[in-house]
Amino acid sequence: MLVMKFGGTSVGSAKAIAEVAAIVKARVKQKPVVIVSAVSGVTDALIRLAQESSEGKNSEIFESIHGKHRDILLELQLSETLCDKEFAELQTLVKTARKRKGKLTQKTLDSFKSFGERLSSLIVAGTLKKAGVPARGFPAWELGMMTNDVFGDSDPLPESSALLKKKISALKPVPVITGFIGKTKKGDITTLGRGGSDYTAAIIGAAIKAEAIQIWKEVDGFLTTDPRIVPEAKIVHELAFEEACELAYFGAKVLHPKTILPAMEKNVPVQVLNTFKPNGIGTTIVSSFAERRHKSHSVEAFSRKKGITILHVRSPEFFDGSGLMAKLFRVFEKHRTSIDLIATSVVSVSLTIDNTDRLEKIVHDLQLLGEVSIVRGKAILCMVGGSINAAGVAGRIFTELGKHEIPVEMISQAASGVSMTFVVDECDTERALKILHQEFIE
Ligand code: ASP
Ligand code: MG
């Protein structure tokens, strides 16, 4: 079985939905299990509808959501009444919220948010049927997606996996399943967090041990770097999960790695593909870097994160102060601020953070350990590829940057050879990316 997940833009118009149906139809032999997001913009609209309704307002948003879906149905020449049951249910929810008037709970909000995917799954299933592919729309909970009751950010219950497998394997028509939503054991509707449809695809793909999980989006896949800075950027055809994590953390916004973790744990490859260029190869994310390393012989992608602040902490106690490092980290734990990079010397430690909301308190506590200085306006460059730690690669990186007089600090190379990261001045970021891209990719 092949899991195929289509994001909000991929189901964002009648034309896009027709494209989705054609893509699924072409792969019908691979037994597709389709997962869909809401039509783009609809989840946001539902949240506003929930807010306005619970303020007692007579919101116009219901009509606009209704109109948007009705237009799509008409354009696809599907029955105008296909989603009537869902709209009646949503209207009841609106009325109840208006009558109750008051604080909007996460639980009620999740019920509102669930309608985007419930509607799009029916429309995509209808379009497939019209194209001659037997298909049926399902809310994920009907197929076993049970979650905990952390409304707004829930996770699947362990028993979901076996249930999903049993129910999905038994289906004859192509299932078109709602991403993003589930139900608690008690029967309350939950959501998996914004952008959660990828998570649904990974959970289902892992449960049924799919041959692959395809994430269909409006981009070609992971690129060698941000094409807005380097127009020559190309698609990276394969990445290990760890590499995708590094790139995503340091700026690439293609996929949130957390959402595909269940697939990686079960060794199911994840492909990122473009709905609007269905013949592209896209990017495949495989679970093991160790395996990939033997195939990959170059530096393959770069990302960057701006708005970085460096904290230098100097203390003679670092000489023999065992335990000083622990105290230092505890400061960041206490103020819930995560550290991105760290570099140490005998008498000092340098750390980078991107969230400076609690900077004052952090500095206050660090001053109890040593002398602290703050440097703002920095950026982190991150590069991945199988040969990052091969002889000469680091030399080439820093020689090229040196030739262009770009100073580098806090160099950090993951021991596993997954990535190389370092800090440059924010104003040098774009130039550094161009130089390195030219040296290693072009
Ligand atoms: N529709 C949901 C959202 O906009 C889930 C998703 O698109 O993945 O967050
Ligand atoms: Mg979305």
Side-chain angles (χ1 to χ4, degrees):
M1 285 188 277
L2 178 69
V3 170
M4 304 176 76
K5 180 260 166 176
F6 295 90
T9 310
S10 299
V11 296
S13 66
K15 197 160 160 262
I17 292 171
E19 188 59 55
V20 165
I23 291 170
V24 174
K25 189 174 179 180
R27 287 158 186 80
V28 111
K29 284 213 181 85
Q30 285 168 276
K31 291 193 137 198
V33 172
V34 178
I35 318 282
V36 289
S37 285
V39 171
S40 62
V42 169
T43 307
D44 287 328
L46 287 163
I47 293 170
R48 272 182 280 125
L49 175 63
Q51 284 160 345
E52 291 188 7
S53 305
S54 62
E55 284 161 15
K57 284 188 198 147
N58 192 355
S59 174
E60 282 160 21
I61 299 170
F62 179 86
E63 228 356 274
S64 94
I65 296 173
H66 194 192
K68 189 170 196 160
H69 288 86
R70 198 177 39 219
D71 290 348
I72 292 177
L73 287 171
L74 280 174
E75 214 180 316
L76 289 166
Q77 297 178 348
L78 294 172
S79 161
E80 236 188 289
T81 60
L82 186 73
C83 305
D84 278 4
K85 201 172 127 277
E86 279 62 32
F87 276 113
E89 210 180 301
L90 179 58
Q91 191 138 45
T92 309
L93 200 59
V94 168
K95 279 189 193 143
T96 315
R98 281 180 53 203
K99 232 187 279 163
R100 274 205 205 127
K101 201 173 162 182
K103 197 166 169 281
L104 177 62
T105 63
Q106 286 294 332
K107 185 165 144 184
T108 304
L109 189 57
D110 271 1
S111 293
F112 271 91
K113 284 191 274 184
S114 72
F115 282 93
E117 275 71 9
R118 291 161 74 182
L119 293 163
S120 64
S121 62
L122 293 178
I123 298 176
V124 172
T127 312
L128 275 168
K129 270 196 270 181
K130 209 167 169 54
V133 179
R136 199 179 139 192
F138 290 96
W141 58 70
E142 275 184 25
L143 299 175
M145 184 64 83
M146 285 192 302
T147 74
N148 61 20
D149 59 2
V150 183
F151 295 100
D153 196 19
S154 60
D155 284 297
L157 296 176
E159 54 263 49
S160 266
S161 177
L163 213 58
L164 284 164
K165 183 172 179 205
K166 191 170 145 222
K167 296 204 173 188
I168 294 174
S169 310
L171 294 171
K172 284 273 168 323
V174 171
V176 182
I177 308 171
T178 57
F180 185 48
I181 62 178
K183 266 189 185 175
T184 64
K185 269 193 184 157
K186 273 171 65 188
D188 294 320
I189 295 175
T190 52
T191 65
L192 305 178
R194 290 310 302 270
S197 297
D198 290 348
Y199 195 23
T200 305
I203 294 162
I204 290 180
I208 64 174
K209 268 268 183 193
E211 71 180 86
I213 296 168
Q214 299 184 332
I215 307 282
W216 291 83
K217 298 176 66 82
E218 68 285 9
V219 296
D220 294 340
F222 276 86
L223 298 186
T224 47
T225 196
D226 188 337
R228 287 167 303 180
I229 299 170
V230 183
E232 293 81 7
K234 298 186 251 200
I235 301 172
V236 184
H237 291 303
E238 193 181 84
L239 280 175
F241 178 65
E242 292 99 311
E243 294 174 306
C245 286
E246 297 279 342
L247 291 178
Y249 191 81
F250 294 117
K253 292 201 178 67
V254 179
L255 259 189
H256 195 300
K258 184 205 145 198
T259 64
I260 61 163
L261 194 57
M264 292 299 120
E265 284 169 349
K266 288 276 154 60
N267 236 322
V268 180
V270 172
Q271 290 171 278
V272 181
L273 295 157
N274 190 338
T275 305
F276 306 100
K277 291 185 207 161
N279 298 321
I281 302 172
T283 303
T284 301
I285 302 169
V286 296
S287 33
S288 158
F289 176 68
E291 261 166 53
R292 207 184 85 72
R293 179 187 236 161
H294 302 297
K295 293 190 253 166
S296 144
H297 299 288
S298 57
V299 175
E300 285 161 292
F302 307 86
S303 64
R304 52 86 176 74
K305 185 158 144 188
K306 288 184 165 189
I308 298 294
T309 299
I310 304 182
L311 296 172
H312 298 289
V313 186
R314 231 166 280 117
S315 166
E317 254 188 79
F318 279 118
F319 267 132
D320 64 349
S322 60
L324 193 65
M325 227 28 144
K327 282 185 208 153
L328 191 101
F329 286 133
R330 237 171 270 136
V331 171
F332 291 87
E333 186 193 9
K334 178 176 159 196
H335 299 294
R336 281 170 288 128
T337 298
S338 66
I339 300 166
D340 286 337
L341 287 187
I342 174 156
T344 61
S345 78
V346 178
V347 291
S348 69
V349 175
S350 304
L351 313 129
T352 71
I353 57 172
D354 65 346
N355 180 352
T356 51
D357 291 351
R358 304 181 186 88
L359 185 62
E360 229 174 278
K361 287 182 184 146
I362 291 171
V363 170
H364 172 269
D365 286 359
L366 288 178
Q367 276 165 342
L368 303 174
L369 305 176
E371 195 185 306
V372 182
S373 55
I374 306 167
V375 189
R376 296 173 201 267
K378 297 286 179 179
I380 292 177
L381 290 198
C382 167
M383 37 214 300
V384 302
S387 75
I388 280 288
N389 61 356
V393 172
R396 272 169 73 197
I397 295 170
F398 300 117
T399 305
E400 282 310 305
L401 295 175
K403 268 193 226 159
H404 294 85
E405 292 178 25
I406 296 179
V408 171
E409 54 192 318
M410 292 190 65
I411 300 162
S412 160
Q413 181 172 19
S416 56
V418 169
S419 68
M420 168 89 81
T421 34
F422 49 85
V423 172
V424 297
D425 286 339
E426 213 163 40
C427 57
D428 286 332
T429 321
E430 278 80 17
R431 214 155 51 90
L433 275 183
K434 281 184 189 142
I435 292 162
L436 293 174
H437 197 270
Q438 192 159 39
E439 171 69 13
F440 288 96
I441 313 279
E442 285 159 45

